[in-house]
């Protein structure tokens, strides 16, 4: 299943516009908060897919019957750009467990790169619902690597992959490489192109640098 939330008009598109806007990006606090707010909206939409069961809740005046989610959740993010998005998801899935994956682009002298995996910190994901988040889905290689790294911690019930802005190429890469897997792909917007450095066009630039400052 593939969902692009920005295809339907809502306040969500205002947050995406500010994430993209070069003038708004000058305020790192605002940029991080917009990533977080988008994560909250993704969380709300994803929650509609969970399994629910009826529970009784005691109020001061009686007992209310409520349908409440019963799935165990693990929120997983790719460092470092994924941290504000992770916080947004965690604001809603506040009882979830958490996983963090370190992956980065390692460049050679010719300017070409490969995706390197450093480490993973994660609980068991056996039988749980995993939400794997990264703000940008460019080539899709980082997402594939992170997905496979998570599976060293068990076999999940379902995986929701979340990206705020994706490239059409990255979406097709994930659909091809992870075909047949029990996955739902959630995106805010899909852009048509990647440039020569494999950055999404028009995209928003380097989300990690915009959120936390330029790195050496």
């Amino acid at each position: 299943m593939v969902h692009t939330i920005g295809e339907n008009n809502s306040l969500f598109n205002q947050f995406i516009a500010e994430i993209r806007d070069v003038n708004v990006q000058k305020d790192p606090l605002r940029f991080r908060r917009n990533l977080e707010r988008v994560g909250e909206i993704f969380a709300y939409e994803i929650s509609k897919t969970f399994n629910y069961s009826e529970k009784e809740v005691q109020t001061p005046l009686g007992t209310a019957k409520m349908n409440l989610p019963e799935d165990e959740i693990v929120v997983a993010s790719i460092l470092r750009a994924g941290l504000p998005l992770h916080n947004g998801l965690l604001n809603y899935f506040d009882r979830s467990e958490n996983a963090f994956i370190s992956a980065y682009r390692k460049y050679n002298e010719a300017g070409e790169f490969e995706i390197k995996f450093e480490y993973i910190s994660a609980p068991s994901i056996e039988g749980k619902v995993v939400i794997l988040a990264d703000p940008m889905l460019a080539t899709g290689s980082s997402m594939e690597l992170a997905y496979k790294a998570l599976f060293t911690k068990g076999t999940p019930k379902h995986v929701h992959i979340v990206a705020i802005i994706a490239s059409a190429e990255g979406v097709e890469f994930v659909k091809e490489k992870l075909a047949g897997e029990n996955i739902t792909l959630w995106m805010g917007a899909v852009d048509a192109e990647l440039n020569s450095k494999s950055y999404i066009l028009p995209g928003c630039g380097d989300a990690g640098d915009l959120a936390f400052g330029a790195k050496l």
Side-chain angles (χ1 to χ4, degrees):
M1 293 288 292
V2 178
H3 300 279
T4 306
I5 297 179
E7 289 179 346
N8 299 312
N9 291 333
S10 74
L11 189 60
F12 180 88
N13 287 345
Q14 178 65 43
F15 301 152
I16 297 290
E18 291 191 13
I19 286 170
R20 292 186 188 271
D21 192 316
V22 66
N23 293 309
V24 179
Q25 289 176 354
K26 294 174 183 177
D27 181 352
L29 176 61
R30 183 74 175 180
F31 185 81
R32 291 193 301 271
R33 180 61 185 127
N34 280 324
L35 296 183
E36 187 177 3
R37 292 197 290 185
V38 166
E40 291 169 351
I41 294 174
F42 275 121
Y44 175 75
E45 294 297 327
I46 291 170
S47 74
K48 298 176 183 178
T49 71
F50 294 165
N51 291 319
Y52 287 75
S53 60
E54 188 178 86
K55 302 288 175 59
E56 290 187 348
V57 178
Q58 188 65 44
T59 81
L61 301 176
T63 302
K65 293 184 178 180
M66 303 287 298
N67 288 329
L68 299 177
E70 58 184 23
D71 293 306
E72 294 183 84
I73 311 300
V74 177
V75 177
S77 295
I78 301 174
L79 299 175
R80 66 179 169 154
L83 289 174
L85 178 58
H86 186 105
N87 285 339
L89 292 162
L90 195 59
N91 286 345
Y92 278 29
F93 302 131
D94 48 88
R95 297 180 181 177
S96 72
E97 296 177 282
N98 297 267
F100 300 94
I101 301 154
S102 176
Y104 67 99
R105 293 181 175 189
K106 183 175 177 61
Y107 288 88
N108 60 26
E109 293 181 356
E112 300 169 338
F113 70 88
E114 59 180 331
I115 303 298
K116 288 288 187 179
F117 168 75
E118 284 190 320
Y119 76 92
I120 178 171
S121 173
S124 168
I125 64 170
E126 188 68 33
K128 299 173 184 177
V129 174
V130 174
I131 302 169
L132 174 57
D134 194 10
M136 313 298 287
L137 178 63
T139 65
S141 297
S142 294
M143 194 64 77
E144 180 195 18
L145 185 151
Y147 179 88
K148 291 180 177 178
L150 278 171
F151 269 71
T152 65
K153 307 301 180 181
T155 302
K157 177 181 178 181
H158 193 86
V159 177
H160 296 276
I161 292 177
V162 174
I164 297 174
I165 300 174
S167 74
E169 180 180 322
V171 172
E172 291 306 312
F173 179 90
V174 169
K175 289 167 64 177
E176 177 185 345
K177 292 294 184 180
L178 303 180
E181 300 289 335
N182 197 17
I183 292 173
T184 304
L185 181 57
W186 300 83
M187 295 159 296
V190 180
D191 292 349
E193 298 180 66
L194 292 174
N195 66 14
S196 60
K197 294 184 178 180
S198 294
Y199 281 96
I200 302 170
L201 293 178
C204 74
D206 190 305
D209 285 0
L210 289 168
F212 300 113
K215 57 188 176 295
L216 294 177

